[in-house]
Each structure stands twice: as structure tokens, then as C-alpha cells.
Amino acid sequence: MEYTNRYGDVFTFTKQEDGSVLWEGSFEHCRFGSSNDYKLAYQNYCKDSSGMGITPMHIEDFKEAIHESVYDENDRYVGPSVIGKQYQNFVKSNPWISMVDPSGGPFINEHSKLDIFGEELKGLCVQLFEPIETGYKIITNGDF
């Protein structure tokens, strides 16, 4: 399958026998990144909360709370939230690439469905990306 982005760059998506997808094209101007791993931060938060007799918040709420900031009455940044101050140093980046965004698109990240690039990719969801010489090998799983 071919995809042409807004700058006219052509990318190909080729499903492999193992269920992965080769994503090939020009990645000369591209950004990529890794998702956060909140496991250690959340474990420490839950341990501390339980020790104080407090029911811990759900992990999804924790992921938001850890990034909240405090502002003064003039809307000037004061610092991180109490949760952020105490636990953000425990948040680490996952060791795999979870997002690739070539200039002009397409932006693809973990959990993205690949069926928008062709019927042959229906039911495939991005797990992670492995760099290869011609682009990326997209490791997939079923629908997220």
C-alpha cells in the first residue's frame, strides 16, 4: 500500500508474514519518541498512599496528576503539583520507539490502527517501531 503525504513524499506499507508491517520511505525530516513508563512512580505512590491509610487514585488519574502544575494568583508558574514533585523522578521513558512523525505525515504512534493505510492492514494495531535501513518495521498486535 502507498501513502502520499501533504509534501508529496510517498511511503509504502508492506504486511509481513509475521504480522509486522514494513513502513518505508523518506524519513529525512522526522521526529520520533518514546512513551512514558509510570509503573515505578505509581507503585511508590500506591505504597505511600496505603501507608497513610488513603485509597490511591486510579493510574489514569495519576498520569494526569503527575504532570499538573501550580500557578499563583497572577497565573504565573510556581512549580509542579504535590504529586508531581514527589513522584515525577520515578517516571522513565520506555526503551522502545512509540511514535514516528515524518514531516508532512503520517503521524503514527503506539495503539494506532493501521487500517487507514489499506484493507490488508485491517485489524492491526501498532505496538512499537524498530528502525530499519529503509524506514521502520512496525510491530503490531490485534486491535487495541
Side-chain angles (χ1 to χ4, degrees), residues 36-43 59 62-63 66-67 91:
N36 286 332
D37 180 356
Y38 295 92
K39 195 179 318 174
L40 184 59
Y42 188 65
Q43 287 172 342
I59 188 162
F62 176 79
K63 287 178 181 180
I66 202 166
H67 294 290
V91 176

Side-chain angles (χ1 to χ4, degrees), residues 112-125 143:
S112 291
K113 293 182 178 187
L114 296 177
D115 56 357
I116 63 169
F117 300 109
E119 186 66 28
E120 186 180 320
L121 305 180
K122 187 175 178 119
L124 296 179
C125 184
D143 280 340

Side-chain angles (χ1 to χ4, degrees), residues 37-50 54-66 83 86-92:
D37 180 356
Y38 295 92
K39 195 179 318 174
L40 184 59
Y42 188 65
Q43 287 172 342
N44 279 284
Y45 162 74
C46 288
K47 179 181 155 201
D48 293 347
S49 296
S50 297
I54 300 169
T55 302
M57 67 180 85
H58 188 273
I59 188 162
E60 294 305 320
D61 296 325
F62 176 79
K63 287 178 181 180
E64 288 184 29
I66 202 166
I83 297 284
Q86 192 164 354
Y87 300 104
Q88 64 187 196
N89 287 339
F90 293 108
V91 176
K92 305 298 180 202

Side-chain angles (χ1 to χ4, degrees), residues 63-83:
K63 287 178 181 180
E64 288 184 29
I66 202 166
H67 294 290
E68 289 176 352
S69 299
V70 177
Y71 295 87
D72 67 14
E73 63 278 352
N74 295 315
D75 207 29
R76 287 187 297 236
Y77 177 75
V78 174
S81 66
V82 173
I83 297 284

